[in-house]
Amino acid sequence: MSHTLVIGGSQGLGRHIAEHFAKEGGRVTLTSGDAAKADKVAAEIGGAVTGLAVDLSRPESIEQALAPVKTVDHLVITAIEQAANSLQSFSVEDALRAATAEVVGYLEAVHTLTPRFAPEASIVLFGGLAKERPYPGSTVVTAVNGAVSALVRTLAVELAPIRVNALHPSLVGDSPQWRDRPQPPQVTRVTMAEVTDATVFLLRNTGVNAVDLHLDGGLMAS
């Protein structure tokens, strides 16, 4: 039975992805920053799903937090910090948390798990379309999403033959983050099902490696 680890799998897109692999009958570990929440969501999904507490914004804690994970066939990291942080009201604390989680935290998680990856393992790191389409207040988000692209290229080289890809969705209209909020009319929306389908494609298609997949409904062509 294959094992999928979804870091950030207790809510939103991460939970949707964890549910997909659980429905397929695979073994799934999902994480949250809060152990009780991770356990609760794992129980709600059911099947061979377990919860684990992992905080990417505290990279020094990741090795110990991931100690229960013995083998990994697929790794998905969706735990990203997307809060707006404008130059006019710049928060150093928020910027450090976002950069630490999405750069150092991503790296430390992969580093910790490297000896435990199966020979044909695959990794998907989540960024976002703000990498290519900045908006007011997105400077930190845009910068860290750009860093995810750089991480994918170098990790694919260092970890070969393990494949590493990035997924950069545009606004996910039916996600908990957006479904009850006003959505900018000029932004192309995608669905959680489409994001999950793209994640599965990147994890399983052995011809895809070191790729930045923009899931944007053609927005980048306009």
Side-chain angles (χ1 to χ4, degrees):
M1 183 185 295
S2 67
H3 179 212
T4 301
L5 170 60
V6 186
I7 296 180
S10 66
Q11 62 186 359
L13 292 172
R15 175 169 180 161
H16 200 273
I17 292 164
E19 288 173 342
H20 170 88
F21 284 101
K23 287 176 183 176
E24 286 191 339
R27 189 161 58 93
V28 179
T29 301
L30 61 83
T31 81
S32 168
D34 178 77
K37 182 176 181 180
D39 290 341
K40 179 176 182 292
V41 173
E44 289 171 352
I45 296 174
V49 181
T50 57
L52 206 61
V54 177
D55 185 353
L56 293 181
S57 69
R58 297 179 57 242
E60 70 281 358
S61 71
I62 291 174
E63 182 176 6
Q64 182 175 352
L66 290 175
V69 178
K70 303 306 179 186
T71 61
V72 178
D73 296 283
H74 303 303
L75 170 64
V76 181
I77 307 184
T78 70
I80 54 180
E81 298 282 341
Q82 295 282 24
N85 193 357
S86 69
L87 290 177
Q88 288 73 24
S89 56
F90 186 69
S91 167
V92 172
E93 182 180 357
D94 289 348
L96 283 172
R97 180 177 175 84
T100 300
E102 204 161 341
V103 181
V104 184
Y106 275 29
L107 271 174
E108 176 59 12
V110 174
H111 163 254
T112 296
L113 294 168
T114 295
R116 309 173 212 176
F117 285 127
E120 296 182 354
S122 56
I123 301 169
V124 171
L125 306 180
F126 269 62
L129 208 63
K131 175 177 76 76
E132 303 292 338
R133 291 292 180 101
Y135 53 86
S138 80
T139 297
V140 174
V141 174
T142 296
V144 295
N145 286 346
V148 169
S149 297
L151 286 179
V152 160
R153 290 193 295 273
T154 186
L155 288 175
V157 172
E158 288 211 51
L159 295 175
I162 294 168
R163 295 181 301 105
V164 187
N165 293 290
L167 182 56
H168 300 276
S170 66
L171 189 153
V172 185
D174 63 344
S175 68
Q177 182 180 359
W178 283 105
R179 64 189 172 206
D180 297 324
R181 294 170 56 187
Q183 299 176 16
Q186 74 277 14
V187 176
T188 302
R189 290 175 285 280
V190 297
T191 68
M192 293 208 295
E194 289 167 338
V195 174
T196 295
D197 183 67
T199 304
V200 173
F201 163 74
L202 292 173
L203 288 172
R204 289 183 170 163
N205 191 307
T206 57
V208 182
N209 194 23
V211 164
D212 269 329
L213 179 58
H214 298 148
L215 193 67
D216 61 4
L219 178 65
M220 294 300 297
S222 62

